[in-house]
Amino acid sequence: MSLDELAAALPDYARDLRLNLTSVIGRSTLTPQQLWGTVLACAIASRSPRVLRPLAAEAAARLSPEAYTAAKSTAAVMALSNVFFRTRHLLSDPEYGSLRPGLRTAVPAGHGVDGVDVELWSVAVSAVNGCGACLDAHEQALRRAGVSRETVQEAFKVASVIQAVGTTLDAEAVLAEVGGPGGGPEGTGRAGDA
């Protein structure tokens, strides 16, 4: 399934998602490596096989093997960091903030990818996973590196669209199984599915 096929699989009630998917990815101001690393890391973070399969294939065709691996590594590290730091942030006892985490949370060095790109992917995955503490930390690192707010926003725009597409397609698949109104055989809910 290609990016266009992924967009076409969205139901009619999610028309804006279809338009956003093609425009956010197709007209991004991010560099190709920043964009496709963000796409891959967020597709992994979305936990949606319907999104990950086609977007991983597209990313593999557009990223160097090193950047592809670094984006996967970023998603893995942020899965751990986002849960840990979000929990520590949400607990009302501030003493947790003074405890040593005792966890390794760095993307391995030597991947040949600019650290700014890894920070950008980290912001995007943190947006998907809802970790305010991680969002702040990575956004501040990007700003210190001279990255504009517009560029940072571009990354979390990609994150928001990928997450919404995954949620919608996964929900449609389940609704099709239970026979919800408008659920077609593919779970698209689109007119003509019968």
Side-chain angles (χ1 to χ4, degrees), residues 4-182:
D4 290 337
E5 291 168 326
L6 181 64
L10 286 161
D12 289 334
Y13 70 78
R15 179 180 177 272
D16 283 349
L17 284 182
R18 192 179 314 140
L19 297 172
N20 285 328
L21 179 64
T22 56
S23 71
V24 165
I25 293 176
R27 290 183 278 217
S28 178
T29 58
L30 299 175
T31 68
Q33 179 168 288
Q34 289 171 342
L35 172 63
W36 287 100
T38 300
V39 167
L40 177 60
C42 290
I44 292 167
S46 78
R47 299 173 192 86
S48 171
R50 286 172 179 79
V51 166
L52 181 55
R53 281 186 196 101
L55 293 182
E58 292 264 351
R62 297 167 190 266
L63 290 170
S64 69
E66 295 81 12
Y68 189 88
T69 298
K72 292 191 312 179
S73 180
T74 300
V77 166
M78 294 315 296
L80 179 142
S81 293
N82 291 159
V83 170
F84 181 83
F85 289 105
R86 181 179 63 231
T87 302
R88 196 159 82 163
H89 174 76
L90 291 173
L91 288 169
S92 60
D93 184 347
E95 293 300 314
Y96 285 101
S98 66
L99 298 176
R100 183 179 170 281
L103 297 170
R104 296 179 54 110
T105 58
V107 174
H111 46 63
V113 174
D114 189 336
V116 166
D117 293 355
V118 172
E119 290 290 342
L120 202 62
W121 303 339
S122 298
V123 163
V125 172
S126 295
V128 170
N129 291 332
C131 180
C134 295
L135 280 165
D136 281 342
H138 294 287
E139 186 271 346
Q140 289 168 11
L142 286 164
R143 300 290 292 136
R144 282 191 304 273
V147 176
S148 71
R149 285 180 179 87
E150 292 79 10
T151 298
V152 175
Q153 179 173 284
E154 195 70 21
F156 63 80
K157 276 173 43 180
V158 171
S160 64
V161 170
I162 289 173
Q163 180 64 22
V165 169
T167 298
T168 302
L169 292 177
D170 289 351
E172 281 298 312
V174 171
L175 293 171
E177 291 172 13
V178 299

